[in-house]
């Protein structure tokens, strides 16, 4: 070797000692007090630059090989073995390991190169380069910035997820109700315009007057307004059935612009418009009517069936925006050969979101293919509850309808219940005390329900003496003028006509709060308005009618995952005390003829029901 460490004292043996522990002799023992003081240690870090520059053990065979080193180490051990109290270590092995570790030492240069240096090339600052070894390019990326960006990305994602969760919680609907078409399960309001509101004091109601009362109708909570006969007719309104043109409205109601304004304002209030349309013809080929023109209907198909009824449906549904039609007198055509084809054409004309209503009579008279097409093209079947059948008859009628064919398939028409309409006697005329109780009964039935104008305030028909004087008007005895609490109901200086007169009964405006609450409860309670339970493709009725006493009707309504509702009505004139605990336990009153009972908890053990009263109870789960 070229040089020796400064603490060396002689040649060969001192070289071994120096190379071993750099000045520490093998016989030195620091743990024994009699041991002489050792030479001052000159110990250096094996990777220090100073040590590397000294002659050091290498493996390339230039200065010393491993065998020689082992021999020297053996000699060093022999020379020091005389001292039995000394601590003997293995300096050659340690130094060999240090050199091998140093030879394999790797570092990174400033430019990113990987350094694997030989003994004479290793630099502690990591700047030494080697040939043919390059690091991946990502080592030189700005990882400080990258880490910051990734941190912000993660935090932003967490914040976005948190915001989405909060938004879902805020916007989640409070009630999970089935989404139904606008006409199913809702409440309609039926109006005879000539008797509703007169705007020009001529004794006949009109469209302008009806517009002024749309807020009143909307506040009831109804979904649609059904306009009874409005078409041009001889001796209108007495002979409103004697229609001369279904494309023109009667002049006593106003002009076309007035009707357009009425339709616009009804739609503006998120309600729909339905017209009573008398059926006077079937859809036959236009050649029969000496017409060669055609009309393009809503779905861009050409229609050559230009009979009067079809033309009227096209005009009012497409040109004027009417939302549906009650096909009056359709039962007279159920046996016609073109009956089924006609219904298909009419439904195609109005489109999916508009409706056709047929009477229960038309439904009962249709057979075979005609019945199948009626059930697939008609949206609502109008069913009238006849009050003359008494309590037992009402129960039998409801059971017959619910257990009938209309409940056999999901796509069949819904029932449109009514206890008063333009062709029937008013509720209050013969059942004055049961007006509210029967209304509550109607509102608990599955399907769509209808209110005839004035029934919400208990209007009756015209006085009997007037009907006798005007015997030719016997068919319109129930079309009395509507009475509003904020106006005078009897016009002055006009000809006396049946619809100008006051009702034989004084209006009871206390009924309004009951009716409004009934409508609100109905349209927000799926248990009541849904007509059936669909399970595994099968419709199961969700209504059961029970008659426990002579005049006591009990109707139970239920639906999965909903509270059951029970209607109990005493339609008789005597108080009834009944124990219904074998059927029901108890619940909260949500509607009824007596508003003071709403919100109270009722248990069905020996309950007393007043005459002409009715309640709806939401049962406890």
């Amino acid at each position: 070797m070229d040089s020796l460490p400064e603490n060396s004292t002689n040649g060969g043996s001192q070289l071994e000692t120096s190379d071993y522990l750099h000045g520490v002799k093998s016989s030195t023992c620091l743990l024994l007090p009699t041991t002489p003081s050792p030479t001052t240690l000159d110990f250096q870090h094996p990777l220090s630059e100073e040590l590397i520059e000294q002659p050091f053990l290498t493996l390339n065979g230039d200065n010393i090989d491993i065998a020689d080193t082992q021999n020297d180490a053996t000699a060093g051990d022999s020379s020091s073995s005389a001292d039995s109290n000394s601590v003997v270590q293995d300096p050659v092995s340690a130094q060999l390991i240090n050199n091998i570790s140093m030879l394999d030492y790797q570092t990174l240069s400033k430019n990113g190169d990987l350094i694997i240096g030989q003994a004479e090339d290793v630099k502690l600052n990591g700047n030494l380069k080697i040939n043919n070894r390059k690091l991946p390019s990502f080592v030189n990326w700005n990882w400080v910035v990258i880490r910051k960006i990734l941190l912000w990305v993660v935090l932003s994602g967490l914040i976005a997820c948190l915001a989405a969760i909060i938004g879902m919680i805020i916007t989640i609907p409070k009630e999970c109700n089935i989404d139904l078409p606008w006409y199913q399960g809702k409440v309609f309001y039926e109006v005879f315009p000539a008797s509703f509101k007169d705007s020009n004091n001529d004794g006949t109601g009109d469209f302008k007057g009806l517009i002024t009362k749309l807020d009143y109708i909307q506040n009831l909570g109804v979904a649609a307004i059904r306009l009874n006969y409005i078409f041009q007719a001889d001796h209108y309104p007495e002979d409103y059935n004697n229609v001369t043109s279904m494309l023109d409205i009667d002049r006593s109601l106003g002009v076309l612009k007035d009707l357009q304004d009425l339709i616009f304002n009804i739609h503006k209030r998120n309600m729909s418009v339905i017209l009573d349309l008398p059926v006077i013809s079937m859809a036959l080929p236009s050649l029969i009517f000496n017409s060669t023109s055609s009309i393009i209907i809503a779905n861009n198909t050409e229609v050559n069936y230009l009979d009067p009824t079809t033309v009227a449906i096209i005009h009012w549904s497409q040109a004027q925006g009417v939302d549906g039609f009650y096909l009056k007198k359709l039962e007279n055509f159920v046996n016609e050969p073109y009956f089924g084809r006609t219904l298909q054409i009419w439904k195609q004309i109005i489109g999916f979101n508009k409706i056709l209503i047929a009477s229960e009579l038309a439904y009962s008279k249709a057979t075979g293919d005609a019945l199948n097409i009626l059930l697939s093209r008609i949206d609502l079947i109008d069913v009238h509850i006849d009050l003359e059948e008494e309590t037992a008859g009402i129960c039998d009628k409801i059971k017959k309808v619910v257990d009938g064919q209309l409940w056999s398939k999901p796509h069949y028409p819904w029932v449109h219940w009514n206890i008063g309409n333009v062709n029937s006697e008013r509720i209050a005329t013969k059942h004055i005390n049961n007006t509210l109780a029967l209304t509550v009964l109607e509102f608990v039935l599955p399907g769509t329900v209808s209110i005839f104008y004035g029934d919400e305030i208990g209007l009756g028909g015209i006085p009997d003496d007037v009907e006798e004087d005007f015997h030719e008007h016997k068919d319109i005895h129930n079309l009395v003028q509507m009475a509003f609490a904020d106006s005078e109901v009897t016009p002055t200086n006009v000809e006396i006509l049946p619809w100008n007169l006051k009702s034989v009964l004084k209006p009871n405006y206390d009924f309004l709060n009951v009716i409004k609450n009934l409508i609100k409860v109905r349209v927000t309670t799926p248990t009541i308005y849904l007509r059936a339970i669909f399970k595994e493709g099968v419709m199961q009725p969700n209504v059961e009618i029970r008659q426990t006493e002579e005049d006591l009707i009990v109707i139970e309504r239920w639906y999965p995952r909903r509270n059951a509702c029970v209607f109990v009505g005493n339609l008789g004139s005597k108080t009834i005390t009944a124990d219904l605990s074998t059927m029901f336990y108890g619940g909260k009153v949500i509607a009824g003829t007596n508003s003071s009972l709403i919100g109270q908890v009722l248990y069905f053990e020996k309950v007393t029901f007043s005459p002409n009263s009715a309640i709806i109870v939401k049962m406890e789960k």
Side-chain angles (χ1 to χ4, degrees):
M1 293 188 181
D2 296 336
S3 61
L4 296 174
E6 295 178 357
N7 57 354
S8 300
T9 58
N10 51 36
S13 62
Q14 293 301 324
L15 173 61
E16 293 176 357
T17 304
S18 174
D19 290 340
Y20 187 14
L21 290 177
H22 295 285
V24 180
K25 294 183 179 181
S26 61
S27 61
T28 303
C29 181
L30 302 178
L31 302 178
L32 298 177
T34 59
T35 303
S37 298
T39 308
T40 303
L41 292 177
D42 186 13
F43 185 79
Q44 297 183 3
H45 193 282
L47 297 182
S48 66
E49 186 174 354
E50 180 182 354
L51 181 60
I52 294 173
E53 292 178 352
Q54 296 176 4
F56 203 67
L57 177 64
T58 61
L59 300 179
N60 57 11
D62 292 340
N63 298 317
I64 187 171
D65 57 19
I66 297 176
D68 294 338
T69 304
Q70 291 177 346
N71 292 333
D72 293 341
T74 303
D77 291 342
S78 299
S79 62
S80 59
S81 61
D83 189 356
S84 61
N85 295 326
S86 62
V87 178
V88 181
Q89 299 181 0
D90 191 4
V92 177
S93 299
Q95 194 151 197
L96 179 58
I97 293 173
N98 289 337
N99 278 279
I100 292 174
S101 299
M102 181 180 68
L103 291 174
D104 291 336
Y105 180 75
Q106 300 177 7
T107 186
L108 298 179
S109 66
K110 291 183 178 179
N111 62 0
D113 295 336
L114 179 63
I115 306 303
I116 304 178
Q118 299 298 327
E120 65 272 14
D121 295 332
V122 175
K123 299 291 183 180
L124 293 178
N125 58 9
N127 294 328
L128 187 62
K129 299 180 180 179
I130 69 169
N131 295 329
N132 300 325
R133 289 296 297 273
K134 295 291 184 181
L135 289 175
S137 59
F138 66 81
V139 175
N140 292 325
W141 293 354
N142 193 340
W143 286 103
V144 175
V145 176
I146 292 174
R147 284 194 296 270
K148 291 181 179 179
I149 294 175
L150 291 177
L151 176 62
W152 281 110
V153 170
V154 172
L155 291 177
S156 299
L158 292 175
I159 293 173
C161 292
L162 181 61
I165 294 173
I166 295 174
M168 292 175 61
I169 294 174
I170 294 176
T171 59
I172 191 171
K174 296 181 180 179
E175 298 179 351
C176 184
N177 297 332
I178 297 176
D179 188 15
L180 296 175
W182 62 267
Y183 58 90
Q184 292 181 352
K186 304 301 190 298
V187 180
F188 291 177
Y189 190 79
E190 182 179 349
V191 177
F192 188 75
S195 300
F196 197 69
K197 179 63 178 176
D198 182 11
S199 66
N200 55 11
N201 202 32
D202 64 354
T204 303
D206 47 46
F207 294 139
K208 289 183 177 180
L210 184 54
I211 292 174
T212 63
K213 292 300 179 180
L214 287 181
D215 289 339
Y216 165 82
I217 299 176
Q218 182 186 20
N219 289 336
L220 292 176
V222 302
I225 297 177
R226 173 182 152 203
L227 301 178
N228 296 137
Y229 300 84
I230 64 170
F231 302 114
Q232 188 178 61
D234 292 337
H235 306 293
Y236 188 90
E238 300 99 314
D239 295 328
Y240 60 84
N241 273 309
N242 189 19
V243 176
T244 57
S245 173
M246 290 192 296
L247 297 179
D248 300 310
I249 59 176
D250 196 87
R251 187 65 182 81
S252 61
L253 298 176
V255 297
L256 180 60
K257 180 61 169 57
D258 298 330
L259 178 59
Q260 291 173 340
D261 291 341
L262 174 62
I263 295 173
F264 172 80
N265 281 280
I266 291 176
H267 287 164
K268 184 179 178 181
R269 289 167 172 79
N270 198 29
M271 296 185 292
S272 301
V273 183
I274 301 171
L275 296 184
D276 281 2
L277 184 73
V279 177
I280 61 175
S281 62
M282 290 284 98
L284 303 177
S286 59
L287 180 62
I288 298 178
F289 296 94
N290 297 320
S291 174
T292 58
S293 61
S294 61
I295 294 178
I296 304 299
I297 60 177
N299 55 0
N300 295 325
T301 59
E302 186 173 331
V303 175
N304 292 319
Y305 299 88
L306 299 183
D307 64 284
T309 307
T310 303
V311 171
I313 290 176
I314 294 173
H315 173 72
W316 295 112
S317 65
Q318 297 187 18
Q320 305 304 330
V322 173
D323 301 297
F325 302 92
Y326 189 129
L327 301 176
K328 291 288 188 176
K329 305 299 181 182
L330 181 65
E331 58 272 13
N332 296 336
F333 297 87
V334 294
N335 295 322
E336 293 290 332
Y338 283 92
F339 177 79
R341 176 59 177 161
T342 297
L343 290 185
Q344 291 177 330
I345 292 173
W346 290 348
K347 187 60 180 178
Q348 186 180 18
I349 289 172
I350 66 175
F352 173 76
N353 200 38
K354 297 185 179 183
I355 66 172
L356 296 176
I357 305 176
S359 67
E360 184 184 14
L361 184 58
Y363 161 66
S364 62
K365 292 178 66 174
T367 59
D369 292 339
L371 176 60
N372 293 332
I373 294 177
L374 183 145
L375 292 175
S376 63
R377 296 297 184 271
I378 297 297
D379 301 285
L380 294 175
I381 299 295
D382 186 42
V383 176
H384 176 64
I385 301 176
D386 192 352
L387 304 181
E388 295 182 356
E389 296 180 356
E390 302 300 333
T391 303
I394 292 175
C395 291
D396 292 340
K397 178 65 175 289
I398 297 173
K399 289 180 180 179
K400 181 181 178 180
V401 173
V402 173
D403 296 337
Q405 190 173 9
L406 293 177
W407 261 258
S408 60
K409 292 185 179 180
H411 66 275
Y412 278 179
W414 282 45
V415 173
H416 175 269
W417 303 95
N418 77 82
I419 54 177
N421 57 54
V422 66
N423 301 122
S424 67
E425 192 169 15
R426 287 190 172 271
I427 305 174
T429 300
K430 289 187 175 181
H431 302 273
I432 180 172
N433 295 325
N434 270 328
T435 300
L436 272 185
L438 289 169
T439 304
V440 177
L441 168 65
E442 178 192 14
F443 273 66
V444 82
L445 298 178
T448 301
V449 299
S450 177
I451 300 176
F452 189 49
Y453 84 95
D455 286 349
E456 73 272 20
I457 55 174
L459 284 184
I462 63 175
D464 292 337
D465 56 345
V466 175
E467 185 176 351
E468 292 175 359
D469 294 338
F470 294 91
H471 58 85
E472 67 275 17
H473 303 297
K474 58 183 178 64
D475 294 332
I476 54 174
H477 62 278
N478 60 335
L479 302 181
V480 296
Q481 185 173 352
M482 179 62 179
F484 297 98
D486 57 351
S487 63
E488 176 63 37
V489 298
T490 303
T492 57
N493 301 323
V494 296
E495 183 181 0
I496 297 178
L497 296 175
W499 47 86
N500 292 119
L501 299 179
K502 291 182 179 180
S503 165
V504 66
L505 300 175
K506 184 178 180 181
N508 191 337
Y509 297 107
D510 293 335
F511 286 4
L512 276 176
N513 291 331
V514 176
I515 300 298
K516 288 180 181 180
N517 182 64
L518 280 172
I519 296 176
K520 181 180 178 180
V521 168
R522 177 180 177 80
V523 300
T524 57
T525 309
T527 304
I528 294 177
Y529 66 72
L530 291 174
R531 67 166 180 164
I533 300 172
F534 299 92
K535 186 176 182 180
E536 298 178 355
V538 179
M539 284 185 60
Q540 301 177 356
N542 63 336
V543 55
E544 183 176 358
I545 297 92
R546 305 172 182 177
Q547 184 182 7
T548 60
E549 302 288 345
E550 181 179 356
D551 292 312
L552 190 67
I553 298 179
V554 179
I555 300 177
E556 183 181 4
R557 302 296 315 281
W558 65 89
Y559 201 80
R561 297 182 298 277
R562 303 281 183 173
N563 296 80
C565 293
V566 174
F567 163 87
V568 183
N570 179 8
L571 304 184
S573 57
K574 298 180 180 179
T575 300
I576 297 177
T577 300
D579 187 351
L580 306 179
S581 59
T582 57
M583 295 182 290
F584 316 108
Y585 177 68
K588 181 185 294 185
V589 178
I590 58 176
T593 55
N594 187 351
S595 299
S596 63
L597 295 177
I598 296 177
Q600 294 187 15
V601 177
L602 176 68
Y603 298 99
F604 286 97
E605 184 178 4
K606 294 183 180 180
V607 185
T608 299
F609 299 96
S610 303
N612 313 121
S613 64
I615 57 172
I616 300 176
V617 180
K618 177 182 280 189
M619 308 300 293
E620 297 179 354
K621 287 187 177 181

